[in-house]
Amino acid sequence: QNADTIGSVRQQLANLMRESLRATVPELDGEEPIVSACNNPKHGDYQCNNAMGIFSKIKGKSTSFKNPNAIGQAIARNLPESTMVEKTSIAGPGFVNIVLKTDWIEEKIYRMLVDGVRTWAPVLPVKKAVVDFSSPNIAKEMHVGHLRSTIIGDCLAKMLEFCHVEVLRRNHVGDWGTQFGMLIEYLFDQIPNWEDIGDQAIGDLQAFYKAAKVKFDADADFRTRGQQAVVLLQGGDERYRAAWKKICDISRREFDQVYKRLQVTLEEKGESFYNPFIPDVVEQLRGKNLIVESEGAQVIQVDGYEIPLIVIKRDGAFNYATTDLTAFWYRVNVEKAELIVYVTDVGQAQHFDMVFKALKLAGWLPSEDQIPKSKHVGFGLVLGADGKRFRTRSSEVVRLVDLLDEAKTRSKDELISRGKDKEWSEEEVEAAAEALGYGAVKYADLKNNRLTNYTFDFDQMLDIRGNTAVYLLYAHARICSILRNSKKDIEELKKVNSIQLAHPSERVLGLHLVRFAEVVEESVTNLLPNTLCEYLYSLAGLFTDFYTNCKVIDSDEETSRLLLCEATAVVMRECFKLLGITPLYRL
Ligand code: ARG
């Protein structure tokens, strides 16, 4: 493969630019090209912004360039001959504006239709990644925060997978810790025959947890037993182990219901999994003289914090941070991950910052541009209509299953009010209601910059005229109906290489289509799914412009335009797939 056929369009251009930079300023060995889409389409399709930086680097050392503009001129001149670049122009302090050849874009779209959109995948600097997401806590409620983690984490995992990265989807469930002593003792007290009865024995696990906690706080005797139970459990006592497993199993079944609905797959490696590796990791850290004693605890001092990172608590127990240090060690050394991302609310930013700093002190986490990379993907709160943390009317934590139910019910009612129940089978109505409802919940979450808080609002997320999954699913279904109405066999049309982007709105749409890969590249590099949402929303808009301005069926350009419709539908579906939304072909 040639340098100008690998990766996203941006990467292909960057590869050409790299050659030009080498020729322009050989003394700056390996200057990385800075290539991006033009903000203003009047200037061109892409631009290269290296000239100013290069000028400041060589100023005084080389006499050949008077100013950045001269460097820009040279960069443009030294650009190797290629099939993709139509022309370049230099603006101001050496910005190189690039216009792509329209027939190159046409060919690129055509090849995608034939070879599949996955051939467009960008190249990422990592081959294997761990995405640590969802990660609820056993016996506690899985709240909207976990919903966000599940939706964002799944999307990041999917984008990485699109880029041919092997992804380990890790559910780091909180299945270890002192609360289990209390839970187990309470189980023994309340349900003496717990072993003989089914998994539903505990009924509502959250209520059970709360009751256990009440007793734990009020009853000193029970508290002592709970603390001893932790020791027995961690020591491997069989009866305590079995009780622990039972409690975990019940929780797991509840979590799985949510994952099934959201169609998210995860592999559980909970906190307990890393337990056997902790002593060795702690020993390694001790060997590096990182662990010191502080107020009876064993801690690591990290820069920028008054409090240290506690590794062994005063009572000798390991904690959340110890597990994360160990999980990192395991993921890098045993699983060979090159990138690890942790998807949790921003409230845990400090925890991860401290853990990463400790890992740097240990020499296990190198500097930013090296491998392995470790990133905390934080997100904001989900707010209710009152602008406060999202709660039910009785100020309970909102149950995820209820939210998904309501989104589906509302979508179903809407479909029925449009008479779809008369047109479609029962199953089709159900499937569409789920795609719309669950898709709406996911998209409403993903379309915001994850760091901001967002308001959970059914009316807004289900609005067919807004920036919603519902609008986008309708837009896609409309393209499908154009294709159906043409009565043409698309597979047959694909045999003719005939895409022409003659009309300005065809070219704009075509250019947007071929940018798909670099949007995924950007979205996944910055770990910001909203970038992909913005792309998809613009795509729907550009398609509408095209369809308004260009007659498709029965026009002279029918074949080309139907293929452009098909290409748009294919790219939209790939976006849906990456966002975890199920596409609908008719609505
Ligand atoms: N169980 C934690 C919580 O619910 C999230 C775990 C995130 N992952 C990690 N490796 N610490 O807050």
Side-chain angles (χ1 to χ4, degrees):
Q1 272 183 318
N2 298 322
D4 60 353
T5 59
I6 302 171
S8 64
V9 174
R10 195 202 63 79
Q11 287 177 327
Q12 294 179 20
L13 267 177
N15 290 339
L16 285 178
M17 273 300 165
R18 198 170 290 114
E19 288 182 42
S20 165
L21 295 180
R22 213 173 284 141
T24 310
V25 276
E27 64 270 40
L28 296 182
D29 189 32
E31 188 69 3
E32 253 316 287
I34 309 166
V35 175
S36 59
C38 278
N39 290 330
N40 185 344
K42 277 194 203 115
H43 297 155
D45 300 330
Y46 286 84
Q47 57 186 37
C48 170
N49 298 346
N50 285 79
M52 278 200 289
I54 291 176
F55 186 70
S56 62
K57 280 189 196 170
I58 62 170
K59 206 162 39 183
K61 291 182 209 138
S62 158
T63 48
S64 43
F65 298 112
K66 277 203 207 62
N67 51 36
N69 187 284
I71 297 179
Q73 304 279 356
I75 293 173
R77 220 172 25 247
N78 288 327
L79 198 64
E81 215 29 63
S82 82
T83 51
M84 70 189 299
V85 176
E86 170 77 36
K87 62 172 188 234
T88 55
S89 59
I90 315 304
F95 296 122
V96 182
N97 292 318
I98 301 151
V99 175
L100 296 181
K101 282 203 166 91
T102 300
D103 58 3
W104 184 85
I105 302 176
E106 292 163 352
E107 174 69 16
K108 180 124 184 117
I109 296 171
Y110 177 73
R111 295 276 16 130
M112 180 279 283
L113 281 177
V114 176
D115 300 333
V117 68
R118 299 236 148 193
T119 57
W120 274 3
V123 181
L124 294 192
V126 297
K127 290 284 154 277
K128 193 168 184 180
V130 164
V131 181
D132 175 323
F133 70 112
S134 192
S135 311
N137 301 315
I138 297 290
K140 291 196 195 159
E141 69 284 318
M142 193 175 177
H143 52 72
V144 278
H146 294 118
L147 177 70
R148 290 209 78 180
S149 177
T150 308
I151 292 172
I152 295 169
D154 182 50
C155 175
L156 294 175
K158 284 180 160 132
M159 288 197 286
L160 287 164
E161 283 154 357
F162 176 79
C163 304
H164 305 300
V165 175
E166 185 190 342
V167 179
L168 306 175
R169 299 162 155 262
R170 289 287 176 261
N171 202 358
H172 192 85
V173 297
D175 63 353
W176 205 243
T178 43
Q179 77 272 26
F180 282 96
M182 158 191 107
L183 285 170
I184 293 169
E185 279 309 316
Y186 197 68
L187 177 70
F188 290 166
D189 284 2
Q190 297 297 307
I191 315 172
N193 62 334
W194 61 272
E195 269 162 308
D196 312 329
I197 45 184
D199 288 328
Q200 294 316 315
I202 299 178
D204 183 350
L205 201 52
Q206 285 152 46
F208 183 84
Y209 188 99
K210 275 184 203 152
K213 184 82 173 74
V214 168
K215 187 159 182 192
F216 189 82
D217 291 338
D219 179 343
D221 190 45
F222 179 71
R223 190 155 55 239
T224 314
R225 277 200 287 139
Q227 282 152 354
Q228 283 162 352
V230 180
V231 180
L232 286 166
L233 172 66
Q234 305 207 336
D237 180 288
E238 260 177 51
R239 191 154 159 268
Y240 282 81
R241 276 274 170 174
W244 169 75
K245 198 175 167 299
K246 176 140 259 164
I247 294 169
C248 291
D249 284 344
I250 295 169
S251 261
R252 196 171 289 128
R253 232 187 314 280
E254 275 178 36
F255 301 156
D256 283 344
Q257 271 182 27
V258 175
Y259 300 143
K260 205 170 151 216
R261 294 252 209 132
L262 293 173
Q263 291 184 292
V264 169
T265 51
L266 275 150
E267 194 198 337
E268 182 177 323
K269 270 196 171 45
E271 292 177 13
S272 64
F273 174 85
Y274 302 98
N275 224 43
F277 306 97
I278 291 183
D280 179 55
V281 166
V282 169
E283 268 328 293
Q284 292 188 52
L285 295 169
R286 221 187 275 289
K288 294 170 188 285
N289 291 322
L290 289 178
I291 300 184
V292 295
E293 175 128 0
S294 165
E295 295 175 33
Q298 314 265 321
V299 307
I300 299 178
Q301 226 82 44
V302 295
D303 268 356
Y305 294 98
E306 277 177 22
I307 44 151
L309 186 70
I310 299 175
V311 178
I312 305 176
K313 293 197 286 190
R314 213 177 323 188
D315 63 4
F318 303 126
N319 65 7
Y320 189 55
T322 333
T323 305
D324 268 329
L325 292 168
T326 306
F328 177 89
W329 175 88
Y330 184 87
R331 288 161 177 177
V332 170
N333 293 288
V334 181
E335 299 184 312
K336 309 285 179 212
E338 297 173 327
L339 167 70
I340 303 166
V341 301
Y342 306 82
V343 190
T344 79
D345 62 285
V346 283
Q348 295 196 36
Q350 173 172 330
H351 162 77
F352 285 106
D353 189 44
M354 291 178 86
V355 167
F356 295 170
K357 282 188 168 146
L359 292 168
K360 281 183 185 142
L361 289 174
W364 292 349
L365 186 60
S367 62
E368 282 293 306
D369 50 343
Q370 284 172 310
I371 280 168
K373 298 168 188 287
S374 201
K375 307 258 185 219
H376 176 228
V377 175
F379 52 79
L381 295 175
V382 183
L383 305 176
D386 55 1
K388 300 212 189 89
R389 193 186 273 270
F390 193 39
R391 293 276 151 107
T392 62
R393 232 167 292 163
S394 47
S395 91
E396 293 281 311
V397 173
V398 183
R399 291 186 52 212
L400 295 188
V401 191
D402 297 339
L403 278 187
L404 295 173
D405 275 343
E406 177 153 4
K408 180 180 168 183
T409 311
R410 287 186 182 225
S411 300
K412 193 171 168 180
D413 293 347
E414 178 70 23
L415 289 169
I416 291 172
S417 79
R418 285 168 185 259
K420 294 298 175 189
D421 54 329
K422 307 209 173 56
E423 247 175 78
W424 299 345
S425 72
E426 176 72 32
E427 293 79 55
E428 281 173 315
V429 175
E430 282 289 300
E434 283 180 10
L436 289 164
Y438 303 165
V441 171
K442 289 185 182 185
Y443 188 81
D445 193 315
L446 293 169
K447 78 169 184 184
N448 304 291
N449 179 310
R450 58 177 163 76
L451 289 165
T452 58
N453 298 341
Y454 83 95
T455 305
F456 195 95
D457 180 341
F458 278 120
D459 290 330
Q460 215 170 62
M461 70 176 72
L462 293 168
D463 186 353
I464 188 173
R465 284 169 305 272
N467 180 3
T468 63
V470 178
Y471 161 76
L472 294 162
L473 285 166
Y474 269 94
H476 171 261
R478 192 165 63 125
I479 303 176
C480 295
S481 97
I482 296 166
L483 291 164
R484 270 194 308 273
N485 291 341
S486 77
K487 304 256 171 0
K488 293 275 167 16
D489 180 344
I490 300 300
E491 290 312 310
E492 279 303 311
L493 294 188
K494 275 201 225 167
K495 291 181 183 155
V496 221
N497 187 352
S498 73
I499 298 181
Q500 257 104 47
L501 304 172
H503 190 281
S505 32
E506 287 181 308
R507 192 181 187 282
V508 174
L509 176 60
L511 179 64
H512 195 71
L513 286 173
V514 299
R515 279 189 179 156
F516 172 61
E518 74 204 37
V519 171
V520 177
E521 180 195 351
E522 187 189 333
S523 192
V524 81
T525 303
N526 301 329
L527 302 162
L528 289 173
N530 59 302
T531 308
L532 182 64
C533 295
E534 282 150 26
Y535 171 85
L536 175 57
Y537 186 63
S538 320
L539 179 58
L542 293 177
F543 181 83
T544 304
D545 294 346
F546 153 74
Y547 195 63
T548 314
N549 295 324
C550 301
K551 183 173 180 198
V552 176
I553 295 174
D554 292 335
S555 70
D556 292 343
E557 299 87 353
E558 190 184 64
T559 306
S560 166
R561 289 183 174 166
L562 285 173
L563 289 177
L564 195 55
C565 288
E566 172 70 5
T568 306
V570 167
V571 172
M572 285 190 102
R573 283 199 288 277
E574 198 60 32
C575 291
F576 287 142
K577 192 166 166 186
L578 298 180
L579 298 171
I581 299 170
T582 308
L584 293 169
Y585 290 77
R586 58 180 79 226
L587 260 170

